[in-house]
């Protein structure tokens, strides 16, 4: 294997595998420039004679013209990643048919320790909690709503991009200021959280529906808004989901929603924290509604089915599709310790085109052709690794 056990004499920061997965996710998501933090310190291996000379570590003054800086494991990952992007400049356009629309003043940051406080400091409302619960279904465990990990023992768990979504990276997020030309390309809009539903927004949604869009609203959005709801329903396809007022507990205990840090907690205190954060019946009900909704939307609007415990993305090209597969399992990393690889966490992915046929399939990271059988491609994604499959299509 190119990267071996990835052992090196300094072990601060994230694992090379984690960084590499984030680079690929960003690239497949449409990012044109990646600027790794402290690249000069992480991409090159420090030589033994350099360890006490910080300036020399930074600038790597060669002793002669033929001496080259030695790549660290992270540098080797970056070199291989860059080679893939140069061999395959046409990664396509990310296929994200679902747009979650938040009110322009929602102030949702998505960061632990502030959830679900708008702007990190205001008192939350039920809609703020619903945003958290929604994303916890789409990207399970990504917000740490119920996951209790001592802050000094969390390692790379719950880092950005570590969640594996059964629906893939197919959701964009917009605000209610989005122009009609921005809303129009999305087959589905999902309004989430507290919404003002101003006359101007209702008009834009009505226009969107008349052009064939599919609008999903929560019950809270339309309570006491009979005329607006009827107007939207006459314009097109409107679907309601979520919680009705009768589903809620009285009084609503908002203190349970806060996700505080767990530094230095004893086992007993950690158990109390788990009990405090456990989802209540109304929250379980809301997440079940979201799961049913997302499953229906995926069945209807995603032209490709991906099975297996891997993160996936879909990119449309002129001649077909590019499917990114990322296995977040099997790599452990704690602060100032080497990354630990569990090779048994490899995953098998199956990619199927329900409404079309594959003409041929090529895997980019290993430059190999894949067998296509009965419209399906199956391949193994090693622990902590990435595989990218390009499909040439005939009728998709």
């Amino acid at each position: 294997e190119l990267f071996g056990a990835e052992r090196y004499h300094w072990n601060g920061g994230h694992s090379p595998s984690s960084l590499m997965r984030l680079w690929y996710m960003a690239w497949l998501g449409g990012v044109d420039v990646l600027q790794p933090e402290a690249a000069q310190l992480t991409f090159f291996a420090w030589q033994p004679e350099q360890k006490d000379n910080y300036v020399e570590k930074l600038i790597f003054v060669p002793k002669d013209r033929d001496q080259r800086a030695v790549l660290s494991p992270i540098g080797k990952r970056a070199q291989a990643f860059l080679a893939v992007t140069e061999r395959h400049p046409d990664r396509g356009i990310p296929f994200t048919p679902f747009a979650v629309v938040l009110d322009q003043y929602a102030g949702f940051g998505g960061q632990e320790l502030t959830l679900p406080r708008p702007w990190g400091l205001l008192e939350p409302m039920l809609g703020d909690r619903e945003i958290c619960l929604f994303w916890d279904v789409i990207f399970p465990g990504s917000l740490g709503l119920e996951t209790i990990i001592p802050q000094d023992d969390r390692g790379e768990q719950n880092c950005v991009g570590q969640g594996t979504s059964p629906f893939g990276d197919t959701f964009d997020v917009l605000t209610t200021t989005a122009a009609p030309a921005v809303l129009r390309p999305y087959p589905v809009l999902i309004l989430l959280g507290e919404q003002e539903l101003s006359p101007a927004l209702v008009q834009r949604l009505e226009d969107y529906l008349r052009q064939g869009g599919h609008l999903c609203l929560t019950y809270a959005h339309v309570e006491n808004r009979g005329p607006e709801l009827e107007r939207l329903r006459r314009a097109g396809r409107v679907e309601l989901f979520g919680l009705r007022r009768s589903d809620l507990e009285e009084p609503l205990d908002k203190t349970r929603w806060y996700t505080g840090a767990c530094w230095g907690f004893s086992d007993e205190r950690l158990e109390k924290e788990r009990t405090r954060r456990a989802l209540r019946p109304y929250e379980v009900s809301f997440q079940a509604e979201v799961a049913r909704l997302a499953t229906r939307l995926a069945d209807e609007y995603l032209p490709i089915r991906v099975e297996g415990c891997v993160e996936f993305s879909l990119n449309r090209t002129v001649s077909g599709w590019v499917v990114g597969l990322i296995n977040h399992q099997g790599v452990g990393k704690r602060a100032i310790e080497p990354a630990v690889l569990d090779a048994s966490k490899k995953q098998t992915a199956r990619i199927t085109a329900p409404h079309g046929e594959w003409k041929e399939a090529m895997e980019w990271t290993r430059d190999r052709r894949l067998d296509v059988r009965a419209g399906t491609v199956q391949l193994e994604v090693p622990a902590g690794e990435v595989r990218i499959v390009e499909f040439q299509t005939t009728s998709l």
Side-chain angles (χ1 to χ4, degrees):
E1 283 294 321
L2 177 62
F3 304 106
E6 294 186 329
R7 293 183 178 178
Y8 45 106
H9 60 274
W10 57 278
N11 298 292
H14 295 294
S15 67
S17 167
S18 176
L19 293 172
M20 175 270 300
R21 282 176 270 141
L22 291 174
W23 298 337
Y24 273 109
M25 290 180 71
W27 180 62
L28 291 170
V31 168
D32 287 332
V33 177
L34 284 169
Q35 186 172 339
E37 181 182 10
Q40 75 274 27
L41 294 177
T42 59
F43 280 14
F44 302 100
W46 302 348
Q47 304 304 310
E49 64 271 16
Q50 294 174 317
K51 77 176 181 178
D52 294 323
N53 188 332
Y54 186 77
V55 173
E56 197 172 342
K57 290 176 191 175
L58 237 62
I59 61 178
F60 289 97
V61 178
K63 296 178 180 177
D64 56 68
R65 291 192 177 190
D66 293 329
Q67 184 181 9
R68 303 293 177 90
V70 178
L71 290 175
S72 70
I74 293 175
K76 292 178 181 178
R77 290 282 191 175
Q79 185 182 59
F81 164 71
L82 184 60
V84 171
T85 66
E86 291 178 339
R87 290 197 306 269
H88 304 282
D90 182 12
R91 60 196 151 165
I93 297 173
F95 183 72
T96 53
F98 314 123
V100 173
V101 181
L102 303 181
D103 191 274
Q104 63 174 320
Y105 300 117
F108 179 78
Q111 299 293 321
E112 289 187 75
L113 310 186
T114 65
L115 291 175
R117 300 175 181 86
W119 305 107
L121 54 89
L122 301 179
E123 182 181 353
M125 301 177 72
L126 180 61
D128 302 308
R129 179 61 168 176
E130 288 183 344
I131 296 174
C132 299
L133 294 169
F134 179 91
W135 288 122
D136 193 55
V137 172
I138 305 302
F139 296 99
S142 60
L143 298 184
L145 299 189
E146 289 188 289
T147 305
I148 307 297
I149 304 171
Q151 197 72 17
D152 53 358
D153 193 34
R154 59 193 297 107
E156 288 182 338
Q157 297 186 58
N158 290 342
C159 290
V160 175
Q162 301 300 305
T164 297
S165 172
F167 311 106
D169 298 334
T170 57
F171 289 76
D172 280 348
V173 179
L174 307 175
T175 67
T176 49
T177 56
V182 175
L183 300 178
R184 194 175 304 123
Y186 291 95
V188 181
L189 298 184
I190 304 170
L191 262 65
L192 198 59
E194 301 295 326
Q195 294 281 348
E196 184 181 358
L197 284 181
S198 66
L201 176 59
V202 172
Q203 181 63 58
R204 289 203 302 277
L205 294 177
E206 185 178 15
D207 294 341
Y208 166 81
L209 289 166
R210 292 190 187 282
Q211 294 168 1
H214 179 177
L215 177 63
C216 300
L217 304 167
T218 69
Y219 291 110
H221 293 151
V222 298
E223 283 183 349
N224 305 317
R225 290 183 176 271
E228 289 95 335
L229 176 60
E230 185 58 31
R231 178 180 165 186
L232 292 173
R233 279 180 162 162
R234 285 198 303 267
R237 185 177 177 185
V238 177
E239 183 171 359
L240 301 181
F241 74 101
L243 297 171
R244 296 175 175 86
R245 191 175 300 276
S246 59
D247 297 326
L248 302 178
E249 297 177 346
E250 292 292 346
L252 200 60
D253 182 7
K254 297 180 180 181
T255 61
R256 295 180 38 265
W257 301 347
Y258 298 132
T259 53
C262 299
W263 287 292
F265 279 22
S266 65
D267 290 343
E268 180 181 2
R269 191 173 178 187
L270 285 173
E271 187 57 37
K272 289 182 179 179
E273 184 68 11
R274 291 188 184 95
T275 301
R276 183 184 74 84
R277 292 197 200 180
L279 297 185
R280 300 294 300 159
Y282 74 91
E283 295 169 315
V284 173
S285 175
F286 179 81
Q287 289 202 322
E289 282 263 303
V290 171
R292 287 192 290 268
L293 173 67
T295 300
R296 290 197 305 273
L297 295 177
D299 290 343
E300 182 173 355
Y301 292 102
L302 295 186
I304 296 171
R305 187 182 307 279
V306 179
E307 300 173 272
C309 189
V310 293
E311 185 71 23
F312 71 91
S313 60
L314 307 177
N315 286 36
R316 193 70 166 100
T317 66
V318 172
S319 58
W321 293 87
V322 172
V323 180
L325 305 170
I326 302 178
N327 182 3
H328 294 302
Q329 308 297 314
V331 177
K333 178 73 170 67
R334 296 177 62 180
I336 320 302
E337 292 185 13
V340 178
L341 175 66
D342 182 355
S344 70
K345 298 296 185 180
K346 60 186 178 182
Q347 302 293 332
T348 299
R350 287 170 50 88
I351 310 172
T352 306
H355 307 300
E357 297 179 0
W358 301 135
K359 187 176 181 181
E360 60 180 39
M362 177 68 69
E363 202 285 300
W364 285 0
T365 64
R366 293 295 183 268
D367 277 336
R368 58 192 177 104
R369 196 172 301 278
L370 302 176
D371 293 332
V372 181
R373 299 180 181 179
T376 298
V377 166
Q378 180 169 303
L379 71 160
E380 185 178 281
V381 186
E385 294 295 333
V386 173
R387 295 292 182 262
I388 302 174
V389 184
E390 179 187 18
F391 295 97
Q392 302 294 325
T393 61
T394 56
S395 60
L396 202 59

